[in-house]
């Protein structure tokens, strides 16, 4: 068994995130395709990460197939465990990438409902809902949640620098209000 910090899945996912923050999608795809597929979660993660990178590289057909595979795995897991908020959030993220905004928001809201009393997962579910709103061009709702999250004190808070760098927030970066929210919360630090 790998030592903490040496788990191949988490290392690969960490590198995928690092390359995606750099918008180095070719390298991110290489990393995604190296993810082990020995469990449903790692198969889903590989398909999702590959689909995102393929989409960013302009390979729409392959991206669609990868993201559909990831969504199918999530639906299979949810059939056995419908109260799994993590998988609901992942399915919502996949639907967001597929351009299925209404379904993404529905899954994210279910995850929020499931975690509303959880001080760790609850705010993370709200972050994911903000992402789904942003991808669905429901900008005001996304920005309202981001502003609320940045004002909250919780375990693993959404950092301002993540909003500046993480590609999941790209659809919101052109919004003047997004920039105002970041400036307001940077001053609060």
């Amino acid at each position: 068994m790998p030592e903490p910090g040496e788990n191949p899945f988490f290392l690969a996912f960490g590198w995928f995130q690092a390359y995606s923050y750099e918008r180095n999608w070719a390298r991110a795809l290489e990393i995604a395709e190296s993810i082990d597929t020995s469990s449903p979660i790692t198969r889903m993660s590989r398909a999702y990460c590959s689909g995102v990178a393929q989409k960013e590289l302009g390979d729409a057909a392959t991206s669609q197939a990868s993201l559909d595979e990831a969504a199918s795995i999530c639906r299979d897991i949810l059939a056995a465990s419908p109260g799994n908020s993590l998988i609901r959030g992942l399915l919502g993220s996949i639907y967001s990438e597929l351009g299925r905004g209404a379904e993404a928001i529905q899954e994210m809201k279910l995850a929020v409902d499931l975690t509303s009393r959880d001080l760790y997962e609850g705010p993370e579910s709200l972050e994911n809902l903000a992402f789904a709103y942003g991808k669905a061009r429901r900008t005001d709702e996304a920005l309202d949640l981001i502003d609320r999250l940045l004002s909250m004190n919780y375990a693993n808070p959404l950092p301002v620098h993540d909003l500046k760098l993480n590609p999941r927030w790209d659809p919101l970066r052109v919004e003047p209000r997004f920039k105002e929210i970041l400036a307001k919360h940077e001053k609060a630090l």
Side-chain angles (χ1 to χ4, degrees), residues 93-105:
S93 292
I94 294 163
Y95 284 159
S96 287
E97 293 296 342
L98 285 166
R100 295 163 58 177
E103 292 168 279
I105 291 166

Side-chain angles (χ1 to χ4, degrees), residues 35-48:
I35 293 174
D36 170 51
T37 58
S38 62
S39 75
I41 294 295
T42 58
R43 278 194 309 280
M44 183 279 305
S45 298
R46 178 180 177 155
Y48 174 69

Side-chain angles (χ1 to χ4, degrees), residues 8-10 17 25 33 38 49 61 65 70 84 88 92 115 119-120 125 130-131:
F9 170 73
F10 290 112
Q17 283 190 305
W25 296 109
E33 290 177 344
S38 62
C49 292
N84 188 323
R88 290 225 172 264
T115 60
L119 296 177
Y120 185 79
S125 293
F131 163 67

Side-chain angles (χ1 to χ4, degrees), residues 10-165:
F10 290 112
L11 285 172
F13 189 72
W15 280 112
F16 173 83
Q17 283 190 305
Y19 287 118
S20 69
Y21 278 41
E22 293 176 354
R23 308 317 189 263
N24 185 344
W25 296 109
R27 188 68 179 118
L29 180 59
E30 288 177 32
I31 296 296
E33 290 177 344
S34 77
I35 293 174
D36 170 51
T37 58
S38 62
S39 75
I41 294 295
T42 58
R43 278 194 309 280
M44 183 279 305
S45 298
R46 178 180 177 155
Y48 174 69
C49 292
S50 294
V52 169
Q54 291 156 343
K55 181 178 175 183
E56 293 295 333
L57 289 168
D59 188 352
T62 307
S63 171
Q64 174 85 34
S66 294
L67 292 168
D68 283 342
E69 177 187 355
S72 176
I73 294 167
C74 284
R75 287 189 299 268
D76 289 347
I77 294 169
L78 287 171
S81 182
N84 188 323
S85 63
L86 174 65
I87 300 299
R88 290 225 172 264
L90 290 169
L91 182 57
S93 292
I94 294 163
Y95 284 159
S96 287
E97 293 296 342
L98 285 166
R100 295 163 58 177
E103 292 168 279
I105 291 166
Q106 178 183 349
E107 290 298 332
M108 297 299 193
K109 284 184 174 182
L110 285 169
V112 168
D113 289 345
L114 289 166
T115 60
S116 64
R117 295 181 185 189
D118 186 319
L119 296 177
Y120 185 79
E121 287 189 35
E124 185 176 324
S125 293
L126 289 173
E127 288 176 27
N128 290 331
L129 180 57
F131 163 67
Y133 280 143
K135 288 289 270 192
R137 303 280 189 250
R138 291 173 60 173
T139 305
D140 287 336
E141 290 156 298
L143 295 176
D144 287 346
L145 275 177
I146 289 169
D147 193 26
R148 177 176 157 199
L149 286 161
L150 291 172
S151 299
M152 292 171 59
N153 184 13
Y154 59 97
N156 198 21
L158 176 64
V160 171
H161 71 269
D162 188 70
L163 290 162
K164 291 179 175 182
L165 298 174

